[in-house]
Amino acid sequence: MVVYFGALAVPRSAGVLHTWSWIIVAALLIATLPFGVWYYRSRATIRREQGRVCGNCLFPLKDLPAQGVCPECGHRYSIEHTIAC
């Protein structure tokens, strides 16, 4: 029996289809790893600063006024809005 995997014709008895599926799963996990690291670090920053961070670049707004412009990226912020999000 032949299984068509994209442009490849792979005999089912060869076990190659099983190997290809693990290669695809590993590639997807490796591709999503940077997003997971970014998400974890951004959540940790927000938690550490108690929500007082710029919504655009996550710059800490701890000692800045309640409304203004982020000194890091120039994005307008409002502390009430950043804590609510």
Side-chain angles (χ1 to χ4, degrees):
M1 177 179 207
V2 176
V3 176
Y4 291 96
F5 187 75
L8 299 174
V10 180
R12 184 179 280 287
S13 62
V16 177
L17 184 62
H18 182 69
T19 304
W20 275 103
S21 64
W22 280 109
I23 291 172
I24 292 170
V25 167
L28 288 173
L29 288 174
I30 291 170
T32 58
L33 185 65
F35 174 75
V37 170
W38 169 82
Y39 181 77
Y40 176 77
R41 287 185 177 175
S42 65
R43 296 297 298 169
T45 301
I46 292 169
R47 218 176 299 116
R48 183 179 60 246
E49 299 297 332
Q50 299 172 347
R52 294 179 62 97
V53 295
C54 173
N56 191 37
C57 67
L58 297 178
F59 183 79
L61 305 172
K62 185 176 10 179
D63 297 328
L64 296 175
Q67 292 182 347
V69 177
C70 174
E72 184 75 17
C73 67
H75 186 73
R76 291 186 130 334
Y77 71 87
S78 170
I79 294 298
E80 294 82 22
H81 182 261
T82 58
I83 291 176
C85 293

